[in-house]
Amino acid sequence: MTEQQTYNAPTIEQEIDVISTYRLEEAASKVVPKGGFDYISGGSGKEFTLQRNDEAWLSKGILPRVLADVENPDTSTKIFEHDLKVPFIMAPIAAHGLAHATKEAGTAKGISEFGGTIMSISAYSGATFEEIDAGLNGNPRWFQIYMSKDEEMNKNILDEAKADGATAIILTADATLSGNRERDLENKFVYPFGMPIVSRYLTGSGENMSLNNIYAQSKQKIEPADVKFIAEYSGLPVFVKGVQTPEDAVLAIGAGAAGIWVSNHGGRQLDNAPGSFEVLAEISEAVAGRVPIVFDSGVRRGEHIFKALASGADIIALGRPVLFGLALGGWKGVKSVLEYFETDLKRVMQLAGTQTIEDVKHARLYDMKK
Amino acid sequence: MTEQQTYNAPTIEQEIDVISTYRLEEAASKVVPKGGFDYISGGSGKEFTLQRNDEAWLSKGILPRVLADVENPDTSTKIFEHDLKVPFIMAPIAAHGLAHATKEAGTAKGISEFGGTIMSISAYSGATFEEIDAGLNGNPRWFQIYMSKDEEMNKNILDEAKADGATAIILTADATLSGNRERDLENKFVYPFGMPIVSRYLTGSGENMSLNNIYAQSKQKIEPADVKFIAEYSGLPVFVKGVQTPEDAVLAIGAGAAGIWVSNHGGRQLDNAPGSFEVLAEISEAVAGRVPIVFDSGVRRGEHIFKALASGADIIALGRPVLFGLALGGWKGVKSVLEYFETDLKRVMQLAGTQTIEDVKHARLYDMKK
Amino acid sequence: MTEQQTYNAPTIEQEIDVISTYRLEEAASKVVPKGGFDYISGGSGKEFTLQRNDEAWLSKGILPRVLADVENPDTSTKIFEHDLKVPFIMAPIAAHGLAHATKEAGTAKGISEFGGTIMSISAYSGATFEEIDAGLNGNPRWFQIYMSKDEEMNKNILDEAKADGATAIILTADATLSGNRERDLENKFVYPFGMPIVSRYLTGSGENMSLNNIYAQSKQKIEPADVKFIAEYSGLPVFVKGVQTPEDAVLAIGAGAAGIWVSNHGGRQLDNAPGSFEVLAEISEAVAGRVPIVFDSGVRRGEHIFKALASGADIIALGRPVLFGLALGGWKGVKSVLEYFETDLKRVMQLAGTQTIEDVKHARLYDMKK
Amino acid sequence: MTEQQTYNAPTIEQEIDVISTYRLEEAASKVVPKGGFDYISGGSGKEFTLQRNDEAWLSKGILPRVLADVENPDTSTKIFEHDLKVPFIMAPIAAHGLAHATKEAGTAKGISEFGGTIMSISAYSGATFEEIDAGLNGNPRWFQIYMSKDEEMNKNILDEAKADGATAIILTADATLSGNRERDLENKFVYPFGMPIVSRYLTGSGENMSLNNIYAQSKQKIEPADVKFIAEYSGLPVFVKGVQTPEDAVLAIGAGAAGIWVSNHGGRQLDNAPGSFEVLAEISEAVAGRVPIVFDSGVRRGEHIFKALASGADIIALGRPVLFGLALGGWKGVKSVLEYFETDLKRVMQLAGTQTIEDVKHARLYDMKK
């Protein structure tokens, strides 16, 4: 029996009408099998941090500016060698096949059709590099790595990612073992299909394995030397992903990180951690412009992108909302979601009196707690 | 098929018993067609700012004063050449025809029958100046403009407003495109009737057009020069409406504004903006008495009027509650709502130990967050 | 038709088992006619201040003290010439007949049977002095006055109260007109029986009159001179009741008040006022021990009495909970409620390591908001 | 009729699958008789402090640390002469027989099978020392005392506890009478079985007696001299349990306490007290390392243990969750619960980048209220 027979992921391909990504989540819950939906949307523990990621946005308000002479705001920006038409990219997220039968290839096609942004490929992809490439069609991509305990395996994976055209490596450092995902425990969730990229270092293909099991077989002892190793071995810029403290940002930069990726893994790892947006400004102060900052965890609206940019982020990474689009419309749904974010961000920029992303970065936010 | 056939606005005319305007909203939801009701009562995005407008009032308490020798408080005040019997006026609000078949003419008649206050006529009125005049019956009026991209059109509209007797122009500057009104998107809401005042610069009459479409055809690039243009061309005092920052207040005054209109468009434009009352005091400090301040967004009770006056507002503008009165009782319902606010304000003034509006302006509010 | 026929107040007399006074309120709602119950339990406006009175208690925590050598705490205290066995008394509250057919006489008997405390008689009593006297049976009493616009009437009432044995006069100064009691408006509530004490200055007996009507016929212009007048004319100590600001406390003392009565009328007058407990400490600082402070509004537990005493109050006045006891058990229910408060206060005193009321007044409260 | 006939405590013995201890409570509510369940899970008054114990954890966040080179964290620690494999022990809690027919002996066996921790035996145990010993099987134990008014009785009990092998005495000082347990009052709860350890000083065996009754027969006047007496007479280290203020911590140490036990009795005594975790840091500052600190009240997750250790606690005591495990699986359920806490703590330590308990104690928590 293959996973496609036992796990009935959606297969529909259609443009979708995005009123809000919260509504997408609600709609996706009706078409994605429960085990998969809970895995995608759930957090760890009592989901305090998951919820705090959302609530943290409310700590800062956006101020309408009304005499700013703005029209048709320009959302373009740049990171490393890439000119982007929007300041957001695809976050690395495991197992897109839970959301749609086309797996990561579907997401990749939606991204390349939208254009002007970057696909992050997760080491826990259910699709092979080749399958993803077909969808990406030459679109820029970054590769996210979960390290093996075996250094040769890591070299092997990095070689392959580089050969595939990755222009940066994302080292996920906040998931050396699985968060306390109560929904998965309750569902006795196991991946219904294999993970071709990391299966080389797993006992098993990934299929029918729990997240706990897979993480346990990955490397726990992540330290600055790992950053250095990846940077030197790959020759590519390395992001350390999962940074939530100024201390770790400084450590990462000291170890040669070319970028800081502020994230709490979407509230899926350490519950009772602060909301990711809460800690962004202080990390940005510590980074002090030395390297770019990518931000994720909790981004659901144009207002959120605006606030993250105004608090020190250079690029925003989108995760779950894109997967909900994938579930509801395949690659066309992915494209619809990206278009929604672009439209929503432009509207917010107009109403906040900001013509460019640079203007957004200098916008004053309002302290809603004072 | 005309709009009156497809959109069944209420037609009843009766005095109404106003226990609270929150109850009016509930009652109006039962008689106004859903598309129209959601348009009137809804906000943008997750309606955070809509809700915050209401919650913001709770940040300040009113202190009972009990030995203040007050009896039958005097609510009269003055703005420009107008002596008012109450410190509140009608806010400009589009498309009254959604609430009642008599459209803006019904509101106008309710206002003139109440007397001693000012009607603001919206550029997005569904009634013509002539129709409104019949209701106003000589009552003072201000005109609110959404600018066209075509300067001649703007002159033309200003000429007409002035000829109609407007004694001030309100430049709405916070709506250069539509907020993210999810309820309207869900309802696929379009205006069921035309907008005779601005239809001259629209492709179409307004009828069966969405708000997004109409705003897109208006001028986006609003700047200080527009304030100056309107003031000079019309020779009338100009309010800049939609101010939520001290910065914009200062810009507006510098450009010749005769008044600042603090508003976040009732939470209908930029969601995640602070509550309008939250920002009033700091704007008032920046204005420093140079020009009068009109305040709107979230006013539902006499206590709210009291708090806004005590925080720097000179005049309060009422929007939705008046439309709910219109829906429930036509012009008589409008009059009932205005009488409710007058009675409620007098009661609050008495219990807070304030004899005059000047006393209210000097009342100490209590910091409920300390 | 008499009020007893149209308004069926409870008549049962029994001891009641008080687990909490919140449960009493729930139980009373089932036996008291709706109009009367809503009048007794409701507040003004959106009942924000009513609720805040309850929530304000949570701003301060009581600290357990565990090595304090306490046993069987002593709740006795003294005010003016009265030795009290507990630091709480009966608040003046109108129209006890809404709760029980025995009216104020029932409450009075419950109080005298409990003993060691003081009855406050409201000018809006539904019973005559004589009827109340029968229940009080020599128990000390204070008289609360709503002033007439006619000075002779006031003298006449004061004469009568004094003749009845009142040892202090409570001038209610925060109710020169009725708060915005939406429940009463909805119920079209009128008093089902007369008010013999004030009927001399009313047009009508009080029966079938609304609170708005009755207040409107009372004196609005209360000022320091009224305090002085009452003190001089009666020769009795005068409390100014309804004080919520240091400013009014100072004014009252300056005018000859012998005590300050901190109250917001149980959240029934100016809605959006702070919780009564919130303002107690700053008023106590302003009073600086010159005169005693009575506190009411929101007291439902022994913990509340403790916190009020530790924040500057000398005596706590109980209102609604006693009326709920009256409704559920007549005079025996009143006694049960008073016994509950005594027991609960003793328990709190023991657990907080305080042997005497003086110890309580010096207890450190914990700032729950820090 | 014996208690076993009238009170049907669960008898099942099985390992249990602990997803969260909150779910255990829900499950236990279905198998434990209502009177017993409410006694175990309930708090005093409106259960404000009970709830605050849980909410207080949210005031501090745990920061993910991602380059910390951690693997398989070490949870071992030491208190007095005991090497522990985990930093948590069993709290003294009365009447385990309410949860399971094996009473304290079941809990004891679960603890000894888990190993590497300490059992606290409550003076209100429903089992005899001998019965508990059978389960403990040589495992270390501490004895918790409620003092008699009769000094000889106290000596007698201490002699017996010492003979039983207790290595420390826990003086519970915050329960000189019962908190206001409304659920027990509503249920008219009495203990369905005797309390062999304290029955020597009770009028009655404890069976069919209320908590109020039992506490009333214990000593109320606890003071520093009692600490001194117990320490000198027993020659054992003495904890003062129930400390919630720096003042009492200092008093206790001055009287010879060998440890401070920070607890508010699980929210069962003085309602309106702050959450126990709220006051921990300031007590820890006052203790300044002179004696170890045990912490209880509200610990339900590994995150809580982490936060308490990082705020000054040396050892965490677990109460209710263990009893829920006992109810659901007898001694095997107890062991499952302890294993859950061990696993959960290790996961949190890994994700927070802490290798040892010493690392945890030095971890920086995040102020979630700023």
Side-chain angles (χ1 to χ4, degrees), chain A residues 40-54:
Chain A
I40 293 170
S41 64
S44 56
K46 74 182 292 187
E47 301 193 334
F48 171 78
T49 298
L50 177 70
Q51 192 184 337
R52 185 93 173 186
N53 279 344
D54 197 54

PDB file of all heavy atoms in Angstrom, chain A residues 40-54:
ATOM      1  N   ILE A  40       0.269  20.229  10.313  1.00  0.00           N
ATOM      2  CA  ILE A  40       0.620  21.498   9.671  1.00  0.00           C
ATOM      3  C   ILE A  40       0.241  22.690  10.547  1.00  0.00           C
ATOM      4  O   ILE A  40       1.025  23.610  10.739  1.00  0.00           O
ATOM      5  CB  ILE A  40      -0.103  21.631   8.308  1.00  0.00           C
ATOM      6  CG1 ILE A  40       0.430  20.592   7.325  1.00  0.00           C
ATOM      7  CG2 ILE A  40       0.068  23.046   7.739  1.00  0.00           C
ATOM      8  CD1 ILE A  40      -0.380  20.486   6.045  1.00  0.00           C
ATOM      9  N   SER A  41      -0.948  22.661  11.075  1.00  0.00           N
ATOM     10  CA  SER A  41      -1.442  23.869  11.744  1.00  0.00           C
ATOM     11  C   SER A  41      -1.126  23.911  13.233  1.00  0.00           C
ATOM     12  O   SER A  41      -1.161  24.984  13.835  1.00  0.00           O
ATOM     13  CB  SER A  41      -2.958  23.988  11.550  1.00  0.00           C
ATOM     14  OG  SER A  41      -3.616  22.909  12.171  1.00  0.00           O
ATOM     15  N   GLY A  42      -0.822  22.771  13.820  1.00  0.00           N
ATOM     16  CA  GLY A  42      -0.644  22.710  15.265  1.00  0.00           C
ATOM     17  C   GLY A  42       0.683  23.272  15.756  1.00  0.00           C
ATOM     18  O   GLY A  42       1.621  23.485  14.986  1.00  0.00           O
ATOM     19  N   GLY A  43       0.732  23.481  17.056  1.00  0.00           N
ATOM     20  CA  GLY A  43       1.965  23.900  17.716  1.00  0.00           C
ATOM     21  C   GLY A  43       2.304  22.923  18.816  1.00  0.00           C
ATOM     22  O   GLY A  43       1.706  21.840  18.909  1.00  0.00           O
ATOM     23  N   SER A  44       3.239  23.294  19.657  1.00  0.00           N
ATOM     24  CA  SER A  44       3.651  22.395  20.737  1.00  0.00           C
ATOM     25  C   SER A  44       2.943  22.770  22.032  1.00  0.00           C
ATOM     26  O   SER A  44       2.425  23.879  22.187  1.00  0.00           O
ATOM     27  CB  SER A  44       5.158  22.458  20.922  1.00  0.00           C
ATOM     28  OG  SER A  44       5.562  23.781  21.161  1.00  0.00           O
ATOM     29  N   GLY A  45       2.934  21.814  22.957  1.00  0.00           N
ATOM     30  CA  GLY A  45       2.426  22.059  24.300  1.00  0.00           C
ATOM     31  C   GLY A  45       0.987  22.530  24.285  1.00  0.00           C
ATOM     32  O   GLY A  45       0.136  21.968  23.611  1.00  0.00           O
ATOM     33  N   LYS A  46       0.729  23.569  25.054  1.00  0.00           N
ATOM     34  CA  LYS A  46      -0.629  24.095  25.069  1.00  0.00           C
ATOM     35  C   LYS A  46      -0.833  25.105  23.942  1.00  0.00           C
ATOM     36  O   LYS A  46      -1.826  25.822  23.924  1.00  0.00           O
ATOM     37  CB  LYS A  46      -0.967  24.693  26.421  1.00  0.00           C
ATOM     38  CG  LYS A  46      -0.331  26.025  26.719  1.00  0.00           C
ATOM     39  CD  LYS A  46      -0.695  26.529  28.107  1.00  0.00           C
ATOM     40  CE  LYS A  46      -2.157  26.894  28.227  1.00  0.00           C
ATOM     41  NZ  LYS A  46      -2.456  27.533  29.522  1.00  0.00           N
ATOM     42  N   GLU A  47       0.102  25.150  23.030  1.00  0.00           N
ATOM     43  CA  GLU A  47       0.039  26.060  21.866  1.00  0.00           C
ATOM     44  C   GLU A  47       0.018  27.514  22.317  1.00  0.00           C
ATOM     45  O   GLU A  47      -0.546  28.378  21.647  1.00  0.00           O
ATOM     46  CB  GLU A  47      -1.141  25.704  20.951  1.00  0.00           C
ATOM     47  CG  GLU A  47      -1.028  24.275  20.448  1.00  0.00           C
ATOM     48  CD  GLU A  47      -1.955  23.926  19.299  1.00  0.00           C
ATOM     49  OE1 GLU A  47      -3.001  24.555  19.168  1.00  0.00           O
ATOM     50  OE2 GLU A  47      -1.602  22.991  18.538  1.00  0.00           O
ATOM     51  N   PHE A  48       0.663  27.755  23.441  1.00  0.00           N
ATOM     52  CA  PHE A  48       0.763  29.120  23.926  1.00  0.00           C
ATOM     53  C   PHE A  48       1.590  29.966  22.950  1.00  0.00           C
ATOM     54  O   PHE A  48       1.214  31.083  22.585  1.00  0.00           O
ATOM     55  CB  PHE A  48       1.411  29.137  25.309  1.00  0.00           C
ATOM     56  CG  PHE A  48       1.743  30.517  25.780  1.00  0.00           C
ATOM     57  CD1 PHE A  48       0.751  31.341  26.281  1.00  0.00           C
ATOM     58  CD2 PHE A  48       3.035  31.003  25.693  1.00  0.00           C
ATOM     59  CE1 PHE A  48       1.043  32.632  26.704  1.00  0.00           C
ATOM     60  CE2 PHE A  48       3.336  32.293  26.105  1.00  0.00           C
ATOM     61  CZ  PHE A  48       2.342  33.108  26.615  1.00  0.00           C
ATOM     62  N   THR A  49       2.739  29.448  22.547  1.00  0.00           N
ATOM     63  CA  THR A  49       3.620  30.221  21.667  1.00  0.00           C
ATOM     64  C   THR A  49       3.002  30.368  20.278  1.00  0.00           C
ATOM     65  O   THR A  49       3.109  31.424  19.646  1.00  0.00           O
ATOM     66  CB  THR A  49       5.010  29.564  21.616  1.00  0.00           C
ATOM     67  OG1 THR A  49       5.560  29.593  22.941  1.00  0.00           O
ATOM     68  CG2 THR A  49       5.952  30.293  20.673  1.00  0.00           C
ATOM     69  N   LEU A  50       2.332  29.336  19.820  1.00  0.00           N
ATOM     70  CA  LEU A  50       1.598  29.432  18.546  1.00  0.00           C
ATOM     71  C   LEU A  50       0.637  30.616  18.586  1.00  0.00           C
ATOM     72  O   LEU A  50       0.585  31.433  17.664  1.00  0.00           O
ATOM     73  CB  LEU A  50       0.821  28.129  18.322  1.00  0.00           C
ATOM     74  CG  LEU A  50      -0.070  28.069  17.082  1.00  0.00           C
ATOM     75  CD1 LEU A  50       0.755  28.008  15.816  1.00  0.00           C
ATOM     76  CD2 LEU A  50      -1.008  26.862  17.136  1.00  0.00           C
ATOM     77  N   GLN A  51      -0.096  30.703  19.670  1.00  0.00           N
ATOM     78  CA  GLN A  51      -1.078  31.775  19.809  1.00  0.00           C
ATOM     79  C   GLN A  51      -0.383  33.123  20.026  1.00  0.00           C
ATOM     80  O   GLN A  51      -0.805  34.143  19.506  1.00  0.00           O
ATOM     81  CB  GLN A  51      -1.963  31.435  21.013  1.00  0.00           C
ATOM     82  CG  GLN A  51      -3.208  32.280  21.132  1.00  0.00           C
ATOM     83  CD  GLN A  51      -3.991  31.962  22.417  1.00  0.00           C
ATOM     84  OE1 GLN A  51      -3.854  30.874  22.989  1.00  0.00           O
ATOM     85  NE2 GLN A  51      -4.796  32.898  22.857  1.00  0.00           N
ATOM     86  N   ARG A  52       0.682  33.077  20.788  1.00  0.00           N
ATOM     87  CA  ARG A  52       1.415  34.323  21.061  1.00  0.00           C
ATOM     88  C   ARG A  52       2.020  34.892  19.777  1.00  0.00           C
ATOM     89  O   ARG A  52       2.142  36.109  19.649  1.00  0.00           O
ATOM     90  CB  ARG A  52       2.516  34.019  22.090  1.00  0.00           C
ATOM     91  CG  ARG A  52       3.279  35.225  22.555  1.00  0.00           C
ATOM     92  CD  ARG A  52       2.697  35.834  23.805  1.00  0.00           C
ATOM     93  NE  ARG A  52       3.520  36.894  24.332  1.00  0.00           N
ATOM     94  CZ  ARG A  52       3.304  37.514  25.479  1.00  0.00           C
ATOM     95  NH1 ARG A  52       2.284  37.187  26.229  1.00  0.00           N
ATOM     96  NH2 ARG A  52       4.088  38.481  25.888  1.00  0.00           N
ATOM     97  N   ASN A  53       2.423  34.028  18.871  1.00  0.00           N
ATOM     98  CA  ASN A  53       2.911  34.520  17.585  1.00  0.00           C
ATOM     99  C   ASN A  53       1.863  35.408  16.929  1.00  0.00           C
ATOM    100  O   ASN A  53       2.202  36.423  16.318  1.00  0.00           O
ATOM    101  CB  ASN A  53       3.241  33.341  16.657  1.00  0.00           C
ATOM    102  CG  ASN A  53       4.603  32.742  16.941  1.00  0.00           C
ATOM    103  OD1 ASN A  53       5.446  33.352  17.609  1.00  0.00           O
ATOM    104  ND2 ASN A  53       4.831  31.534  16.459  1.00  0.00           N
ATOM    105  N   ASP A  54       0.627  35.038  17.058  1.00  0.00           N
ATOM    106  CA  ASP A  54      -0.443  35.825  16.458  1.00  0.00           C
ATOM    107  C   ASP A  54      -0.737  37.076  17.288  1.00  0.00           C
ATOM    108  O   ASP A  54      -0.887  38.175  16.745  1.00  0.00           O
ATOM    109  CB  ASP A  54      -1.706  34.953  16.339  1.00  0.00           C
ATOM    110  CG  ASP A  54      -2.699  35.553  15.361  1.00  0.00           C
ATOM    111  OD1 ASP A  54      -2.316  35.833  14.211  1.00  0.00           O
ATOM    112  OD2 ASP A  54      -3.863  35.742  15.741  1.00  0.00           O
TER     113      ASP A  54
END
